[in-house]
Amino acid sequence: NLASLNTHLRQARNEIRERMELVNEGLRQAEFNRGTYLCIDVGDRQLPDVQAFKREIHEALSYAWTEEREMAERRFMILRLLVERLGDQDPQQRRWRETVLDVRQHVEFIARELDADGGEIEVYRGGAGKSGGQRQKLATTCLAAALRYQLGGTDAHAPSYAAVILDEAFDKSDNEFTALA
């Protein structure tokens, strides 16, 4: 089961990358600033718990067919500790489990503003250091591309009809950004 879990985590991580490729196709079709567009890269967050968990899984799955007693015992101890920790209901262990099993927390998204030739103009890591208008424009553009992907992919001329609910974060949106979206 640990091998299946490891495979599932890798597949989920790859699925995020594949989905972002489709979102990026939508972003390429929408001008961000005059003559530029956004591209969102998926990077690995270097969370210590996740890194340690991946190493433990690797160690537990390595040497699976060894007949060397010492290696088999070491592997068993790693497996036992992993199983105990994954099943522990202590709040701290539940938070750890959620962190290591939720692949969405293993990645970070970095938006790059590119010119028509693919040259990098600006890099956006979250909204740090950006004005309220810049953050709003970034969020609106990404939201529009994600909605386009969710509602129609890139094959459909127009997305299918669906209700979209936005929370109060968008209640003071600039009309320009609303029209852009």
Side-chain angles (χ1 to χ4, degrees):
N1 288 339
L2 192 59
S4 294
L5 173 63
N6 191 40
T7 300
H8 173 75
L9 292 174
R10 261 198 322 272
Q11 287 173 341
R13 173 78 172 69
N14 290 337
E15 196 174 297
I16 289 172
R17 281 191 184 278
E18 289 169 7
R19 287 182 176 185
M20 285 312 301
E21 287 175 17
L22 293 171
V23 170
N24 280 329
E25 285 180 32
L27 284 169
R28 270 187 229 100
Q29 297 171 17
E31 192 172 65
F32 183 66
N33 283 317
R34 183 163 281 139
T36 69
Y37 65 95
L38 286 179
C39 177
I40 301 175
D41 292 335
V42 180
D44 288 320
R45 288 179 67 196
Q46 300 301 319
L47 300 174
D49 284 343
V50 173
Q51 300 292 15
F53 181 67
K54 286 179 179 179
R55 275 192 310 274
E56 290 167 358
I57 287 179
H58 178 73
E59 286 181 38
L61 297 175
S62 297
Y63 310 106
W65 305 109
T66 186
E67 292 184 23
E68 190 177 321
R69 184 176 176 89
E70 238 177 77
M71 290 305 291
E73 286 181 13
R74 180 170 181 233
R75 186 171 167 264
F76 173 77
M77 289 303 296
I78 293 169
L79 280 169
R80 190 174 98 197
L81 291 172
L82 274 174
V83 169
E84 286 174 3
R85 199 164 183 201
L86 287 168
D88 196 332
Q89 294 305 310
D90 175 68
Q92 184 177 353
Q93 291 304 316
R94 286 198 334 235
R95 279 191 300 278
W96 171 83
R97 182 175 55 242
E98 289 168 7
T99 299
V100 300
L101 295 180
D102 187 351
V103 179
R104 297 171 299 179
Q105 294 188 39
H106 301 187
V107 297
E108 66 178 338
F109 300 99
I110 303 159
R112 300 183 190 286
E113 184 178 357
L114 306 174
D115 63 20
D117 298 324
E120 191 172 273
I121 304 297
E122 177 111 33
V123 176
Y124 300 91
R125 289 182 178 270
K130 306 299 177 202
S131 71
Q134 287 174 314
R135 285 193 307 268
Q136 188 178 54
K137 183 175 185 176
L138 180 64
T140 302
T141 303
C142 292
L143 175 64
L147 285 172
R148 173 78 167 111
Y149 163 71
Q150 284 293 104
L151 298 176
T154 55
D155 297 337
H157 175 66
S160 59
Y161 175 80
V164 176
I165 299 170
L166 301 175
D167 71 4
E168 65 275 358
F170 289 90
D171 71 346
K172 295 180 182 166
S173 291
D174 184 309
N175 289 338
E176 177 189 344
F177 297 136
T178 304
L180 176 68

